[in-house]
Amino acid sequence: MPFLYRMSNLGTHRHFNLRSTEFRLTILLFLLLWVYLIIRAFSVFYIHDEIVTKWSYVIHWNPFPNQGAIDANNHFLLSLLAGFFTRLFNSDSMFLIRLGSILAFPIYFWSIFRLKYLFQQKWNFYALLIVLTTSSFLIEYFALARGYGLGLAFLVFSLQQMICYFDTDSKKALIGSLLGWLLTVYASLTLLPITLIAVFFLGMYTVRRKSYIWILPVLMMIIPLGYFVEYSFTLKDLGKLYYGGAEGFFSSTVHSLTKYVWLVESTWVDLGIALVTGFILFAAIRRFWKTKNLFDPKLLFSIFLFVGVASILGQYWILGINYPEDRTAMFLIVFFFGALFFALDDLKSNKVVALISIGLSLAFFAITMNFTHSMHFVTEHLDEELVRNIPLSVNGTPPTTAGRWNMENDLTRELNLPLRVYQDNDDPHDTLVDYMVFVPERRPGLTDLYEIAHLDPISGQALLKRKKFLKRTKNLEVEHAIISEVEYQIVYISNLEGPMVLRCSGKLEQMTELKEIFIVFSSEDSLSKQQFTYEMIPMIRNSKISDSGEMNFDFSYAMNALEGANSFAAYIWNQNGEELQGKIKLEVYAIDE
């Protein structure tokens, strides 16, 4: 209880009754939500971005800018924590990868709770608390291996510390806020513009208070934030700041939020948001006119709401950066509702609006809560049966399979099923494989050749089974011992005379999760060297390693004979020239279509 006492106390003159029914119900709400998120962290399978994070930034620990693959997908603080936990517990389990996000939820919840003393009417406070902690769209990121949950947690913590600093002139709160803002941008680079504005605001207040010695910590923030600014421009120059839209602020940003917060997209909702925002602006001007204090704690959410919108518009108009969408614009939800309920409280509105907000929030949560899938990434849900129902063999060889992104590979690995390729299948000519995991509507013609063996009722993805398996005739077989510490080892090169199935089997020894070993299949024009097919199978990401460091594999790949391609190759790519032992056998089967 002493910890909760400190969490609920901004200063010696502001105490909350920890034995009150209200506080006990608040603790109960927190525990129920946290347990819900913990269960989801176990039960909801990875989304695509989490898998990329896991293998690129956690297993290969790259928690800082310019490490590993340079991409906005690297949420540094999440990568740091996930890398630490996987090494501490010697496991790459899904829960440990997400543990950093789960531990951020208490920071988020109790930082909001510490704003309670600012409210004149408790119903406005509890409306804010419930709206921001029962939105499935917001809180699901506290159970995913993405940096958005961590970013929201430290965003709210930093705002709360700013309020404490402006209200009490506490230097501890100043340092807490500065550290919080640094962690905010380290967790989610999308919050860099807001962080820059916040630090400038802190500097303004410190100068105003003539606390010149304390301007030094503020100025010291220039170094790390300048580094993040430089890295952001690097991402922009590389075309990595692609997420978002250019259709307009309402079309790209607002609509991408309302469909998850209120489950609707409508011009009526746009009108309602515009009216409420106008009300917030009126209330903010009214309060500023009355207090003449730009650093009024009760104005902070309103200031950040309008400055945040201005920042988004400025980034688009000046730098050409897309309007943020859904998860990259979530901070606007926090600012919007914070500003709204502070405005209602300042105008001493009755509790009707607050009670309606609480009721709607709980209703939306009841409708959207689940233990199976992400609310935002619903199309990425993978039913286990999509991979379990694939047989071990077709016509005497392992089945050829196709899929989408990396998710089928990781699900197969998690279930300890035989390694499969799940090769690309987006093009019209990709109809050779025996089974594919795909959304049938994306290629309507598929149903002429394939039937649905299993349909995922959540995502709409289906396991498609070929109505008639293609005959295959074995033409040749080659076998090699794997050469250690060689980057490229050719397995077989030959003319490409028609479609074929390549069966690849063998054993890799001395394997660890850090060894990037790939088996690559490619086809090209031998004269122009134009490449037509390139399929890279990351062995460590598709199959588990035994306790002895061995990996046995036996899978098939369907090679199409595309027009212009006259040769094909199969080879091992030992990316870092690792020490390796084992053997590999390649069998080539001609396909009779």
Side-chain angles (χ1 to χ4, degrees):
M1 294 304 286
F3 169 74
L4 291 177
Y5 177 83
R6 291 194 297 272
M7 287 295 293
S8 62
N9 178 19
L10 273 173
T12 57
H13 62 296
R14 297 185 179 92
H15 298 268
F16 301 116
N17 184 358
L18 304 186
R19 297 181 180 179
S20 68
T21 301
E22 287 179 21
F23 188 69
R24 289 175 177 174
L25 288 175
T26 302
I27 293 177
L28 179 61
L29 174 65
F30 164 70
L31 291 175
L32 288 174
L33 290 171
W34 203 21
V35 169
Y36 167 70
L37 292 171
I38 290 171
I39 295 173
R40 278 182 58 86
F42 278 106
S43 64
V44 177
F45 191 67
Y46 290 123
I47 60 173
H48 171 261
D49 287 351
E50 289 184 289
I51 294 173
V52 174
T53 292
K54 171 184 174 180
W55 291 107
S56 298
Y57 307 114
V58 176
I59 300 300
H60 296 276
W61 206 5
N62 296 304
F64 300 106
N66 296 306
Q67 282 190 327
I70 298 178
D71 193 273
N73 190 62
N74 191 358
H75 296 178
F76 307 114
L77 183 56
L78 187 284
S79 300
L80 179 71
L81 294 173
F84 170 75
F85 289 130
T86 56
R87 284 156 178 79
L88 178 65
F89 296 102
N90 193 30
S91 169
D92 67 349
S93 77
M94 187 164 58
F95 179 76
L96 290 177
I97 302 289
R98 293 169 168 171
L99 185 55
S101 293
I102 296 166
L103 295 177
F105 183 71
I107 299 173
Y108 177 71
F109 187 97
W110 293 108
S111 293
I112 298 172
F113 180 80
R114 292 183 70 177
L115 301 174
K116 184 177 187 293
Y117 85 95
L118 292 170
F119 286 83
Q120 302 174 79
Q121 298 174 304
K122 65 181 181 182
W123 289 109
N124 288 319
F125 163 72
Y126 283 111
L128 175 64
L129 179 68
I130 290 173
V131 166
L132 293 185
T133 60
T134 61
S135 168
S136 293
F137 175 57
L138 288 180
I139 67 172
E140 79 169 11
Y141 288 95
F142 291 100
L144 294 176
R146 312 302 300 125
Y148 304 110
L150 282 157
L152 279 186
F154 285 110
L155 171 74
V156 178
F157 170 81
S158 303
L159 285 171
Q160 181 272 320
Q161 289 290 293
M162 283 183 76
I163 287 172
C164 183
Y165 178 47
F166 294 164
D167 194 36
T168 67
D169 203 33
S170 166
K171 301 307 183 290
K172 288 183 179 179
L174 169 62
I175 299 302
S177 184
L178 290 173
L179 291 176
W181 284 116
L182 192 58
L183 289 171
T184 298
V185 72
Y186 186 53
S188 179
L189 202 61
T190 58
L191 296 171
L192 177 58
I194 297 298
T195 299
L196 293 171
I197 294 165
V199 172
F200 177 73
F201 210 53
L202 285 166
M204 286 175 57
Y205 180 79
T206 305
V207 170
R208 180 193 179 193
R209 296 288 298 174
K210 298 181 180 180
S211 303
Y212 298 119
I213 189 66
W214 289 99
I215 199 65
L216 290 176
V218 180
L219 292 175
M220 289 175 63
M221 292 285 287
I222 294 174
I223 298 174
L225 292 182
Y227 179 57
F228 282 118
V229 169
E230 181 184 20
Y231 181 71
S232 297
F233 278 105
T234 299
L235 291 176
K236 180 179 180 296
D237 293 341
L238 293 174
K240 299 297 184 178
L241 299 181
Y242 48 79
Y243 194 76
E247 294 79 13
F249 177 71
F250 266 88
S251 297
S252 298
T253 301
V254 176
H255 289 174
S256 71
L257 296 175
T258 58
K259 68 180 179 182
Y260 295 114
V261 177
W262 294 299
L263 310 181
V264 292
E265 289 181 88
S266 167
T267 53
W268 291 105
V269 175
D270 295 348
L271 178 61
I273 290 173
L275 291 173
V276 173
T277 303
F279 163 73
I280 292 170
L281 180 61
F282 163 76
I285 293 173
R286 176 180 177 274
R287 182 166 182 85
F288 178 72
W289 187 265
K290 184 168 56 175
T291 64
K292 302 296 190 295
N293 180 14
L294 187 63
F295 304 98
D296 182 347
K298 294 187 178 183
L299 281 177
L300 203 58
F301 279 87
S302 296
I303 291 171
F304 273 92
L305 172 63
F306 293 111
V307 169
V309 172
S311 168
I312 290 171
L313 297 176
Q315 289 177 75
Y316 178 77
W317 292 337
I318 298 172
L319 300 176
I321 296 174
N322 284 339
Y323 294 107
E325 292 181 346
D326 46 75
R327 57 193 184 272
T328 59
M330 287 195 305
F331 63 91
L332 290 179
I333 299 174
V334 174
F335 295 155
F336 179 81
F337 284 112
L340 173 61
F341 288 111
F342 272 115
L344 290 170
D345 195 67
D346 190 50
L347 294 173
K348 298 180 182 179
S349 65
N350 60 43
K351 60 185 179 183
V352 173
V353 176
L355 290 175
I356 291 174
S357 299
I358 291 172
L360 287 175
S361 296
L362 294 176
F364 285 137
F365 180 70
I367 293 170
T368 56
M369 68 172 291
N370 68 80
F371 297 99
T372 56
H373 62 277
S374 161
M375 181 181 182
H376 176 58
F377 300 97
V378 62
T379 58
E380 296 185 23
H381 177 264
L382 274 184
D383 188 330
E384 287 186 8
E385 298 306 311
L386 292 175
V387 295
R388 284 192 184 277
N389 287 350
I390 299 174
L392 295 178
S393 68
V394 169
N395 293 341
T397 63
T400 52
T401 53
R404 179 171 178 253
W405 293 350
N406 302 308
M407 295 179 293
E408 300 89 354
N409 299 334
D410 247 83
L411 182 57
T412 297
R413 183 178 183 274
E414 288 288 323
L415 297 175
N416 207 21
L417 297 172
L419 186 153
R420 299 188 179 106
V421 176
Y422 298 108
Q423 62 193 75
D424 292 337
N425 65 333
D426 285 329
D427 295 322
H429 56 72
D430 291 325
T431 56
L432 296 180
V433 296
D434 303 313
Y435 289 85
M436 64 171 69
V437 179
F438 207 68
V439 179
E441 289 76 15
R442 291 179 61 190
R443 287 176 57 191
L446 281 177
T447 53
D448 296 337
L449 297 173
Y450 290 83
E451 61 187 5
I452 296 177
H454 181 78
L455 181 67
D456 186 328
I458 295 173
S459 66
Q461 295 195 74
L463 174 63
L464 301 176
K465 173 186 176 183
R466 224 177 188 286
K467 293 179 179 179
K468 182 180 180 182
F469 293 128
L470 298 173
K471 294 181 180 179
R472 54 207 74 182
T473 304
K474 186 174 178 179
N475 284 346
L476 64 91
E477 174 183 315
V478 294
E479 188 168 356
H480 301 279
I482 292 176
I483 303 172
S484 183
E485 300 178 82
V486 172
E487 184 174 1
Y488 296 102
Q489 179 181 351
I490 300 297
V491 176
Y492 188 70
I493 295 179
S494 182
N495 294 331
L496 181 58
E497 298 175 351
M500 62 183 68
V501 169
L502 304 174
R503 180 181 183 180
C504 195
S505 59
K507 178 173 67 174
L508 297 173
E509 301 173 357
Q510 299 179 321
M511 289 291 287
T512 71
E513 285 192 339
L514 296 177
K515 291 186 177 181
E516 289 285 16
I517 310 298
F518 303 88
I519 294 177
V520 181
F521 300 110
S522 67
S523 67
E524 65 177 19
D525 181 334
S526 58
L527 295 177
S528 67
K529 300 301 180 184
Q530 179 183 353
Q531 196 169 72
F532 291 88
T533 303
Y534 183 84
E535 193 83 43
M536 186 174 67
I537 296 95
M539 303 299 288
I540 197 64
R541 306 180 193 187
N542 287 32
S543 184
K544 289 188 175 181
I545 305 169
S546 70
D547 293 337
S548 62
E550 292 185 356
M551 178 189 292
N552 293 292
F553 57 91
D554 187 0
F555 63 87
S556 296
Y557 175 78
M559 173 69 76
N560 229 312
L562 301 179
E563 184 178 355
N566 58 21
S567 70
F568 78 95
Y571 60 93
I572 299 169
W573 181 24
N574 184 348
Q575 191 175 58
N576 300 311
E578 304 275 7
E579 187 175 346
L580 196 64
Q581 289 184 353
K583 60 182 180 179
I584 184 169
K585 179 169 70 173
L586 182 72
E587 300 170 46
V588 179
Y589 294 79
I591 291 179
D592 181 8
E593 294 188 86

